[in-house]
Amino acid sequence: NREFVPHITISRLKNISLEKIKSWLDQHRNFQYPAITINEFYLFSSQLSRNGAIYAKEAEFLLTRE
């Protein structure tokens, strides 16, 4: 049991056609979410294995105002 870490999965695609992707993007092009403050974010990659996903931190981005 791992501790929950809030995150956004940008995509997870397997055996899907480019046409289906384009259609989904077209149907959701007006998606909006209320503004929130973000001070930093991390970019992770994941590899699915039989024991669950294996995550690797690829980059860290600090967001500051100048």
Side-chain angles (χ1 to χ4, degrees), residues 9-58:
T9 299
I10 296 173
S11 69
R12 179 175 287 164
L13 306 174
K14 184 177 182 180
N15 301 325
I16 188 165
S17 72
L18 183 56
E19 287 304 314
K20 283 189 177 184
I21 296 169
K22 287 179 179 179
S23 174
W24 189 92
L25 290 172
D26 187 50
Q27 291 173 25
H28 296 87
R29 70 176 174 265
N30 294 322
F31 174 79
Q32 293 184 8
Y33 191 82
I36 58 173
T37 301
I38 299 173
N39 299 314
E40 61 188 8
F41 72 93
Y42 306 97
L43 182 63
F44 281 84
S45 62
S46 65
Q47 296 291 320
L48 296 179
S49 73
R50 292 178 188 203
N51 297 324
I54 300 169
Y55 298 98
K57 186 190 297 184
E58 302 293 346

